[in-house]
């Protein structure tokens, strides 16, 4: 791994990104058996000091890593990542992999659990 990449990952681990990832995953997990609107999750996290850009970065990361599944609110069509739609029109659900992460069965240094 290149030194710049190592430095970037170390910086991310120390920053708000790691905390935000954990916050988003935990809030979505509250309604584990069903999908929850990302707009509702964002409003809860806004009260905890998570900025909109941090929230979107976290949702995108969690989706790309397979910890959450995203779909459209209308029609329930699956969405591979947040960049494919307006985040306000999406809902998310913790995946089996996300549940394993929350339970401690797997680890990700970029998600604070």
């Amino acid at each position: 791994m290149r030194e710049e990449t190592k430095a970037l990952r170390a910086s991310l681990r120390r920053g708000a990104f790691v905390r935000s990832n954990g916050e988003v995953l935990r809030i979505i997990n509250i309604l584990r058996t069903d999908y929850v609107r990302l707009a509702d999750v964002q409003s809860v996290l806004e009260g905890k000091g998570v900025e909109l850009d941090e929230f979107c970065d976290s949702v995108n990361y969690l989706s790309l890593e397979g910890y959450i599944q995203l779909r459209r609110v209308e029609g329930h069509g699956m969405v591979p990542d947040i960049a494919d739609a307006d985040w306000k029109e999406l809902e998310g659900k913790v995946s089996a992999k996300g549940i394993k992460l929350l339970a401690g069965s797997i680890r990700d240094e970029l998600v604070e659990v």
Side-chain angles (χ1 to χ4, degrees):
M1 187 180 293
R2 293 183 14 211
E3 289 303 316
E4 294 117 25
T5 304
K6 286 181 184 178
L8 177 60
R9 288 183 68 83
S11 174
L12 288 173
R13 271 186 247 118
R14 290 189 302 269
F17 183 69
V18 175
R19 284 187 303 279
S20 296
N21 289 344
E23 291 282 350
V24 170
L25 190 61
R26 283 190 295 277
I27 295 299
I28 292 174
N29 184 54
I30 289 171
L31 298 173
R32 179 186 303 176
T33 60
D34 203 3
Y35 282 84
V36 61
R37 290 176 183 250
L38 292 186
D40 294 339
V41 175
Q42 193 275 330
S43 68
V44 169
L45 292 173
E46 186 177 46
K48 293 181 162 230
V50 177
E51 300 292 327
L52 180 58
D53 58 339
E54 293 171 340
F55 170 76
C56 290
D57 287 346
S58 292
V59 168
N60 194 48
Y61 177 78
L62 295 169
S63 174
L64 290 173
E65 290 298 316
Y67 299 129
I68 62 173
Q69 299 169 332
L70 299 177
R71 72 178 187 187
R72 296 183 191 284
V73 173
E74 296 294 322
H76 303 299
M78 299 308 286
V79 177
D81 67 57
I82 198 169
D84 291 337
D86 179 0
W87 68 270
K88 294 177 186 174
E89 299 173 0
L90 299 177
E91 52 191 6
K93 178 179 176 180
V94 176
S95 68
K97 185 177 178 183
I99 292 168
K100 288 179 184 179
L101 178 66
L102 287 168
S105 300
I106 59 174
R107 295 186 52 124
D108 185 329
E109 61 188 26
L110 294 180
V111 181
E112 182 179 276
V113 182

